[in-house]
Amino acid sequence: MSAPDSPAIPLPLIFGPFDPSGASHLPIDAVICAGLGAHAGSVATAIHVQDTAGTETIQRLAPDLVDDQARCLLEDMTIGALKIGPQYDPETISTLAQIAADYSALPLVLQLCAPPPVPDLEDLDPEETIGAMLELLVPQAHLVVVDDRLPEQWAGQGLLSSTRADDPIGALHELGAPLVLCCNATLGPGLNGLILHARGQAGRRWPWPAPRVRTGDAESLLATVLCCLLARGLDPDEAIPQAVTSATALLARHFHPGMGQRILLHAAS
């Protein structure tokens, strides 16, 4: 039996950890997508034990389970774009890279970040995890979103090309990423913002408010909004300015439900 006709609703697919507090990652990503008129598919790659104050433990899910869940959704729905959020081990990253390769026609928004310092990840070398992201996922990304400080830090650790140690963004371009959107970049004295680096072009800049929420992962919020817009069929030149405007508005609404950080207010006011 064929599926009934339905409106053309954008269908992003998001890979990342599950945060039970609803402050970040898959739960809030799904809500953000809904607010933008999209329906998010979710593939959990890890489960956090955490509250609004911080993460206590992380349980990584088996890569085979991640692969099975992703392919079920990709074979069932007309997914329009992919977002890969924080990942914690090379084996899962390798699985995601194969999925991305098999669906290379879909725009991929890659959020680059360092693994958090929690006991569950002590059996893993964080440099191996970062190296796997750079080697396997960056070459397939249509757009990389990253905190401005990380590429320089990784270049200093020798994780980016030694021949481009003085130009870590150039090194990301050489790895294959055509667009790199840096968060928390210095635009001037006392002014932070966003810089979009396109290969062979001058960087585009936008101011960015000093948020009271998502202060540690503004790049995740931007990556989710961008994935929704790309799933709608926009090209990056159209999507990025719209994402900046939408994300800025989202950051303005927040509340304080627990003893830790404030989180985005996504309920009706």
Side-chain angles (χ1 to χ4, degrees), residues 28-269:
I28 192 67
D29 284 350
V31 173
I32 290 168
C33 291
L36 295 172
H39 176 82
S42 299
V43 178
T45 56
I47 298 175
H48 288 196
V49 175
Q50 73 173 80
D51 54 23
T52 59
T55 303
E56 295 183 3
T57 63
I58 294 174
Q59 178 65 54
R60 287 168 281 147
L61 299 182
D64 287 349
L65 177 63
V66 172
D67 186 72
D68 288 346
Q69 182 58 80
R71 293 183 187 278
C72 279
L73 294 173
L74 286 160
E75 292 166 10
D76 176 52
M77 299 190 292
T78 306
I79 298 297
L82 308 175
K83 173 198 168 183
I84 295 180
Q87 303 302 323
Y88 304 135
D89 66 274
E91 189 177 0
T92 299
I93 290 168
S94 178
T95 297
L96 298 181
Q98 186 59 60
I99 294 168
D102 291 344
Y103 290 87
S104 59
L106 297 178
L108 169 59
V109 181
L110 174 63
Q111 177 195 349
L112 286 179
C113 53
V118 296
D120 308 79
L121 305 182
E122 288 179 350
D123 60 319
L124 298 168
D125 182 346
E127 292 193 358
E128 288 186 5
T129 299
I130 295 166
M133 288 191 293
L134 295 173
E135 178 183 352
L136 300 177
L137 292 178
V138 168
Q140 302 191 68
H142 294 72
L143 172 61
V144 167
V145 184
V146 64
D147 185 278
D148 186 65
R149 297 162 291 186
L150 284 180
E152 184 173 351
Q153 176 184 323
W154 292 341
Q157 295 173 319
L159 298 176
L160 288 168
S161 170
S162 59
T163 62
R164 302 299 296 269
D166 61 339
D167 182 13
I169 300 300
L172 289 173
H173 288 322
E174 283 192 352
L175 286 169
L179 298 170
V180 180
L181 181 60
C182 291
C183 303
N184 303 313
T186 301
L187 302 184
L191 178 63
N192 283 357
L194 310 170
I195 301 179
L196 175 66
H197 301 272
R199 189 186 289 114
Q201 300 178 22
R204 297 174 62 186
R205 299 173 174 229
W206 294 270
W208 183 252
R212 297 184 65 190
V213 293
R214 305 299 290 266
T215 54
D217 70 338
E219 58 273 19
S220 178
L221 172 62
L222 274 170
T224 299
V225 176
L226 281 163
C227 188
C228 284
L229 296 175
L230 295 177
R232 190 182 294 166
L234 275 66
D235 63 39
D237 284 342
E238 297 175 289
I240 292 169
Q242 288 192 34
V244 173
T245 300
S246 297
T248 301
L250 284 168
L251 287 170
R253 301 184 68 235
H254 44 79
F255 73 120
H256 198 192
M259 296 180 290
Q261 65 175 327
R262 302 182 70 84
I263 67 176
L264 294 180
L265 178 61
H266 48 75
S269 57

